[in-house]
Amino acid sequence: MSCSTEFCVINDYINELQKKFNDIAFKRIETINGMYITNSVNKSSSNDVRIFTETQVKRMLLKAFSSGMSSVTKKKLSYFSQGEDHDAIYKLDNVEDLKVGEEYSVQNVGHSTLLIQVPGFNILTDPVFNDVNSVLYPEKTFSHPSIEKLPKVDVILISHNHPDHIDKTSLQNILKEHQKNGWSLPTILVPMGDKKLVQSFGFKQVEEVEWFTNISTNKNDVNVNFISIPADHRSGRLGYDHHKSLVTGWIINPLKTNVLFKYSGDTRSLTDENQNAIDAVIWHEIEKKLLDDIPEIICFEPSGPNYTRCDMDVTHQSTSYSTLLKFVEAENLAKLSNKTPKDFIVKLKTIMMHHNKFEFGPDRFNEGLFIFKKLLLYLSLSDQDLKQELLKQQEKLERGLDRELLKQNSSYLSRPVIFTLPAQTSLLVHSKDFIIKDLLTTASKVKSFDEHQIKQYFMEYLTKNTIFPKIGERLNRQQINEMVFDPQTVFKYSKKGKNNI
C-alpha cells in the first residue's frame, strides 16, 4: 500500500478478493515482450485496417461520388441517416451541484466522457471534447458541458490510451481551467503503462494500476473506492504501438452513498472468468457499504461500434450484449450472496455510452438505438420465428450484398474505391444475426429464470432499465428510475420512405 495525503493505492486488494472468493479466479495480465495482450483474438490489429478503410471509403463515396447515388443509398451512408435535428441529439442541461435530496447525478458529456457527481466529489471519465483527427476522425457532435463549464474535478478515470479516450488537448484545457480558477488539480487514474503519457501533458498526480487494484480516497470526509477491473480491448495511439499499455474498466464505490457505478470503458464481451471476477468485486464493495438492501448499480456500457460485426467483435461488445449482460450479472451476484437474481435485476441500470460523437465504421448516429429496438422486436417473436429470422440474417451476411449494391447504386468512377472495402462490409446491408445470437447466448447462461418466460423477463427489464441519454443530459436517481424506453420514439429510414424498424 502506498498513500498520499488524500489517496491510498492498495495493490494487494487482489489478495483480499482471493481470500474471500476462493473459487473465483482473479488474474492480472502478465506482459509478453512488453505487451499487455488481454485476449489472443485481439492481438493482431488487422481488423483496425478494415475498420479504417470502411470509415474513410464511406466518407469518400458521399463526398466525391454522391451525384450518382440514389437517395436511399445516400441516406444509408450518411452518419445522420434520419436527418436528426438538434433536439434529437442534445439535451443541454446545466451543470449544477447536487441539490438537496440528490444522492448522485450523471451527465452524458459525449462519447465516453461522463461527469459523475456524488456528495462532495466530482468524477470525469475518458475526457475527449474535440476531434480525434480533424481530417480522418472529426467530431460529428459537440460535447456538453464544455470544459469551461465543468465544475472542479477531483478524479479523472482513464480506461485506455486510444485517442478517443485520452486526448491531449482536452486534458491540457482541463488543467488550464483548474489553474485559472485556483482549484487543486485532479488526480488521474490510468492503466499500467500510461502514466508517463499523461504526465507529459502537465499532470503531476497520476496513478497507474494493474487490474484488481483499489485506489481509496478520503477527501473532505468523502470516502470513494476506485477499483480497476478487466476489460478486453487493445491499446495504442499511433497505429503501430498496440498493447504497450493495459486497458481497464472501473468500479466506483462512494461508500456513504446508496449507489455503486461500473464504468466498462471500451471492451469486447468478456470471458466468463473475467465477468465472474468483476461481479465478485461489485459484491465485495456492496458489502462494505453495510446496507440492509442492495444499492443501485449503475453500469456504463459501450453502445458499439457495432458494424461490421466480424471486425468489431474482436474489440467491441455489441449494444445488444451490453444490455443483456445485466441478466448474467444478476445471476452471478445472486450466487455470491443470499439474494436472488430478481433482487439484483431491479437494481441494475444500464446507461449506454461510447457512441454518437465519432464515425467509426458503418455505424450511424443512434445505431445502438436501432439495434436495441430490433432486440425488443426479436423478444416478441416465437422461438420458431426467431430461428427463421436468424437464418434470414445469416444468409444476408453470407451473400455479401454490400459491395454489389454499392456498385449498382453508384457511378462507374466509384468502382475502384468500392473494391477496396472488406468482403463482409456492412455499409448498406446490416446483418442482425449477432443480436439474436446475443439473445440466445444470454438465455443459455441465465439458469434461475423460468425458461418459458425468459423473453418476457428480458423485455420488462430492458424497457425499464436501459437508458440512451442525449448529449448533455443530466440524470439523477429519480429520473433514472422513472425512465421507460419507448420503441415508438425510435425511427429508421426504409426503402419505402416509411419510418419503421
Side-chain angles (χ1 to χ4, degrees):
M1 179 189 297
S2 61
C3 295
S4 61
T5 307
E6 296 172 344
F7 287 86
C8 281
V9 180
I10 307 169
N11 288 304
D12 63 355
Y13 181 83
I14 189 171
N15 298 326
E16 186 180 319
L17 292 169
Q18 288 171 334
K19 287 178 182 178
K20 183 173 181 178
F21 307 102
N22 52 30
D23 58 341
I24 293 177
F26 301 92
K27 295 181 180 179
R28 288 174 170 167
I29 297 296
E30 296 184 7
T31 57
I32 302 173
N33 298 323
M35 301 172 73
Y36 293 88
I37 300 172
T38 57
N39 195 316
S40 59
V41 300
N42 61 41
K43 181 178 180 180
S44 168
S45 61
S46 58
N47 68 311
D48 283 351
V49 176
R50 293 190 292 272
I51 293 166
F52 175 82
T53 300
E54 283 185 300
T55 306
Q56 303 311 322
V57 166
K58 176 183 174 182
R59 296 176 66 210
M60 189 185 303
L61 287 172
L62 277 174
K63 286 186 176 181
F65 304 106
S66 62
S67 59
M69 290 180 183
S70 67
S71 59
V72 171
T73 302
K74 287 180 187 178
K75 273 190 172 289
K76 286 196 171 187
L77 290 177
S78 297
Y79 184 71
F80 295 105
S81 61
Q82 316 306 306
E84 290 87 351
D85 61 13
H86 184 278
D87 291 341
I89 301 170
Y90 303 102
K91 188 175 185 298
L92 305 182
D93 291 335
N94 293 327
V95 178
E96 51 188 296
D97 294 332
L98 293 180
K99 301 172 185 174
V100 176
E102 282 188 328
E103 292 187 80
Y104 66 86
S105 72
V106 174
Q107 191 157 10
N108 175 32
V109 180
H111 196 52
S112 297
T113 308
L114 300 154
L115 174 62
I116 303 168
Q117 296 179 283
V118 297
F121 213 85
N122 296 325
I123 303 156
L124 197 66
T125 64
D126 287 349
V128 176
F129 287 78
N130 40 256
D131 303 326
V132 167
N133 180 292
S134 60
V135 176
L136 299 176
Y137 290 110
E139 62 177 348
K140 306 295 288 187
T141 55
F142 63 82
S143 299
H144 180 85
S146 64
I147 289 174
E148 294 76 19
K149 298 293 184 181
L150 287 175
K152 178 184 178 298
V153 177
D154 297 288
V155 167
I156 294 174
L157 296 179
I158 299 295
S159 63
H160 64 297
N161 68 6
H162 278 170
D164 62 317
H165 292 261
I166 291 184
D167 177 62
K168 178 180 179 180
T169 301
S170 297
L171 285 171
Q172 288 184 330
N173 285 338
I174 291 170
L175 183 69
K176 290 175 184 176
E177 281 298 311
H178 278 64
Q179 291 170 334
K180 184 176 76 174
N181 289 304
W183 296 335
S184 58
L185 300 184
T187 295
I188 304 189
L189 309 183
V190 303
M192 193 62 66
D194 287 326
K195 184 174 183 176
K196 289 183 179 179
L197 172 67
V198 174
Q199 284 180 327
S200 72
F201 301 159
F203 287 88
K204 296 180 180 179
Q205 187 63 32
V206 183
E207 299 288 351
E208 64 178 357
V209 298
E210 296 182 89
W211 290 351
F212 307 114
T213 301
N214 179 15
I215 300 92
S216 181
T217 179
N218 186 347
K219 189 173 185 180
N220 301 324
D221 200 33
V222 178
N223 301 96
V224 184
N225 289 344
F226 299 91
I227 300 96
S228 52
I229 55 173
D232 198 346
H233 198 55
R234 183 171 53 234
S235 64
R237 293 179 64 79
L238 303 172
Y240 54 81
D241 58 344
H242 298 297
H243 304 293
K244 296 299 183 183
S245 62
L246 189 61
V247 297
T248 191
W250 294 95
I251 299 296
I252 307 165
N253 183 15
L255 290 167
K256 296 181 180 179
T257 305
N258 192 27
V259 68
L260 184 142
F261 303 97
K262 183 188 77 165
Y263 177 70
S264 292
D266 208 353
T267 183
R268 75 190 300 265
S269 52
L270 296 170
T271 62
D272 290 344
E273 181 179 76
N274 279 336
Q275 190 61 59
N276 288 336
I278 289 173
D279 293 328
V281 172
I282 291 174
W283 178 242
H284 187 48
E285 290 300 310
I286 287 174
E287 288 197 305
K288 290 182 180 181
K289 290 179 176 290
L290 303 176
L291 299 171
D292 294 329
D293 195 11
I294 301 167
E296 286 187 358
I297 306 169
I298 309 296
C299 303
F300 304 107
E301 301 286 358
S303 180
N306 292 281
Y307 298 110
T308 295
R309 194 68 218 144
C310 61
D311 286 326
M312 290 299 182
D313 186 56
V314 177
T315 48
H316 297 87
Q317 71 187 27
S318 66
T319 299
S320 46
Y321 190 76
S322 285
T323 59
L324 290 164
L325 174 61
K326 301 304 154 296
F327 278 87
V328 176
E329 296 198 276
E331 188 100 349
N332 290 344
L333 288 164
K335 292 174 183 176
L336 298 169
S337 64
N338 60 353
K339 310 287 185 181
T340 69
K342 290 182 181 179
D343 292 331
F344 281 101
I345 200 66
V346 296
K347 297 292 186 176
L348 285 156
K349 314 289 183 182
T350 304
I351 296 182
M352 306 306 293
M353 51 97 181
H354 198 267
H355 62 163
N356 290 355
K357 186 172 180 68
F358 302 109
E359 192 170 10
F360 293 136
D363 271 27
R364 299 155 294 182
F365 182 84
N366 268 347
E367 193 71 63
L369 270 173
F370 302 152
I371 289 169
F372 184 60
K373 185 175 179 182
K374 197 70 170 180
L375 171 61
L376 297 181
L377 177 65
Y378 287 157
L379 286 170
S380 68
L381 299 181
S382 67
D383 290 346
Q384 184 60 37
D385 287 343
L386 194 61
K387 290 178 182 177
Q388 290 298 319
E389 180 66 17
L390 177 58
L391 292 174
K392 173 185 170 183
Q393 294 296 330
Q394 288 176 328
E395 181 185 5
K396 186 190 293 186
L397 185 67
E398 290 165 3
R399 288 174 63 191
L401 296 176
D402 249 289
R403 290 198 294 188
E404 190 60 37
L405 285 174
L406 277 172
K407 284 192 295 181
Q408 293 173 10
N409 289 279
S410 304
S411 66
Y412 282 99
L413 292 174
S414 66
R415 300 291 171 85
V417 176
I418 292 170
F419 276 117
T420 66
L421 288 167
Q424 287 193 334
T425 184
S426 297
L427 288 184
L428 293 183
V429 181
H430 292 69
S431 173
K432 299 172 181 65
D433 62 311
F434 68 92
I435 305 175
I436 301 173
K437 290 178 181 177
D438 288 340
L439 172 56
L440 296 175
T441 298
T442 306
S444 70
K445 291 182 178 181
V446 176
K447 306 297 185 184
S448 299
F449 293 88
D450 187 326
E451 63 178 324
H452 301 295
Q453 295 182 305
I454 189 68
K455 288 193 290 186
Q456 184 62 34
Y457 287 137
F458 284 174
M459 178 77 80
E460 290 178 4
Y461 168 79
L462 293 173
T463 53
K464 293 179 182 177
N465 295 285
T466 307
I467 301 171
F468 290 80
K470 294 180 181 179
I471 296 171
E473 187 167 7
R474 180 184 185 273
L475 299 167
N476 60 25
R477 179 178 185 172
Q478 180 180 349
Q479 291 165 324
I480 287 173
N481 284 318
E482 289 178 352
M483 280 197 165
V484 177
F485 181 81
D486 180 4
Q488 299 308 313
T489 62
V490 182
F491 299 110
K492 186 174 173 184
Y493 186 82
S494 73
K495 290 183 180 179
K496 297 178 182 178
K498 297 179 181 178
N499 287 324
N500 62 15
I501 189 65

